[in-house]
Amino acid sequence: MELTIHAEEPEQLRSAALGWLTDSVREYGRQETIDALPQNVKVSAKGFTRIVQSVPGKNRKGLWGYVHVSPQGTFDVLYNPYTPATLPWLDQHLTEQPESAGVTIGRFSEKGEVGNSDISFTVVFEEDLPDQVKLGFHLDTTALVAPGTTAAEHERLLAVVRRACNRYNVVFGHVSYRRSGGVTEWESRLRGRPGDPVSNALQWRILLRGYSWLMVVPAGIAERLGGHGGLADTGAFSTLSSLPNGSLLLQATPTFQQYDNEAVRAVHRAVREALVQGDLRSPSPVPDQPPTNLVVLDD
């Protein structure tokens, strides 16, 4: 999930980014997860250069967590353990609007190795978009469809998204497979410049970068598409929520697994007049690519 925040003042962007990497992590992971993270880990004033330096060197059991920052104009990635003592360091870097920053939390393997993450929150600042920050939440789709976890994962995801949408000036939001550059599923199918997420983000007031199972449509575009009532009448959305800034939070189907075939087509029909337009590319023949079922390619 990615939410685009717009603000005229850099301080508002910093505040949203810090809130996303702290309060939203707690909202999703529950406070007991944060409390269970190692607290006796060394913090670096400059930032460590390797992940391994940000996790305990001994007694590797239970959870690990670290924060990473990529300063603008460098190829550096700096790390620190995800603890309260790290937050001033993180806040200072967010004030300087790094290329990206994030929080990653997971569990040690039985052998004490740092394995796959359970929680991953990111923020991205683009040099060409000084009035925006993109808040990302990365989730393994198997957690959304597995019978034992689907209900809880949907509840946690929606709680995090609603919290951010009610606190920040969210002007676009989408759910897509994780791709280079943060492109939407729709952008990934467009040839050339129409598929450029930075160029499209500059036009957020008049164009939608894409559509998805869960999405945020800015106020002006929502009105063009018929407003709350008009979009509800399309039957494409199971839930429509008006946000404090006038944007709409739209959910196509009760669960992500149900978003396929006709549900995808219904959302496409509801918003297509506001979509960025361009020539569609054929699905990649390269194996192990993300599925193509989240966008309409033959309309």
Side-chain angles (χ1 to χ4, degrees), residues 117-137:
S117 62
D118 296 324
I119 299 175
S120 178
F121 282 73
T122 60
V123 299
V124 174
F125 294 90
E126 302 274 4
E127 282 191 293
D128 295 331
L129 301 169
D131 57 358
Q132 295 183 19
V133 62
K134 295 176 182 177
L135 313 180
F137 170 59

Side-chain angles (χ1 to χ4, degrees), residues 266-284:
V267 174
H268 179 255
R269 287 193 296 268
V271 303
R272 61 183 169 187
E273 71 177 70
L275 288 171
V276 58
Q277 298 297 314
D279 295 328
L280 292 172
R281 67 172 82 242
S282 300
S284 172

Side-chain angles (χ1 to χ4, degrees), residues 219-234 240 242 248 250:
I221 294 179
E223 284 304 309
R224 280 169 46 201
L225 296 174
H228 188 289
L231 285 167
D233 289 343
T234 67
L240 300 87
S242 298
L248 292 180
L250 308 176

Side-chain angles (χ1 to χ4, degrees), residues 32-40 63-66 82-83 104-106:
E32 59 266 25
T33 299
I34 307 303
D35 292 342
L37 287 170
Q39 300 297 315
N40 58 343
L63 296 173
W64 51 262
Y66 64 84
Y82 189 54
T83 68
T104 307
I105 299 174

Side-chain angles (χ1 to χ4, degrees), residues 72-217:
Q72 290 282 359
T74 74
F75 294 102
D76 298 335
V77 181
L78 306 176
Y79 303 93
N80 255 316
Y82 189 54
T83 68
T86 304
L87 297 186
W89 176 85
L90 173 62
D91 193 13
Q92 177 57 42
H93 277 284
L94 292 177
T95 300
E96 298 165 0
Q97 294 197 357
E99 289 184 6
S100 64
V103 170
T104 307
I105 299 174
R107 290 186 176 276
F108 287 112
S109 69
E110 292 183 0
K111 297 181 178 180
E113 299 169 337
V114 176
N116 295 330
S117 62
D118 296 324
I119 299 175
S120 178
F121 282 73
T122 60
V123 299
V124 174
F125 294 90
E126 302 274 4
E127 282 191 293
D128 295 331
L129 301 169
D131 57 358
Q132 295 183 19
V133 62
K134 295 176 182 177
L135 313 180
F137 170 59
H138 309 286
L139 176 68
D140 188 338
T141 54
T142 57
L144 287 174
V145 300
T149 59
T150 181
E153 289 299 329
H154 278 83
E155 179 183 347
R156 293 164 75 186
L157 170 62
L158 292 171
V160 167
V161 171
R162 291 191 186 106
R163 183 187 185 285
C165 286
N166 284 317
R167 283 166 172 75
Y168 312 129
N169 184 30
V170 180
V171 296
F172 180 65
H174 68 100
V175 172
S176 301
Y177 290 106
R178 196 168 190 174
R179 300 177 186 275
S180 176
V183 297
T184 67
E185 291 300 308
W186 180 246
E187 288 169 331
S188 75
R189 304 301 172 194
L190 295 174
R191 298 180 183 274
R193 189 175 181 82
D196 176 29
V198 175
S199 298
N200 294 336
L202 288 168
Q203 304 181 78
W204 65 267
R205 291 179 176 85
I206 59 174
L207 290 176
L208 285 179
R209 293 176 48 210
Y211 57 96
S212 58
W213 166 66
L214 188 65
M215 61 187 295
V216 175
V217 177

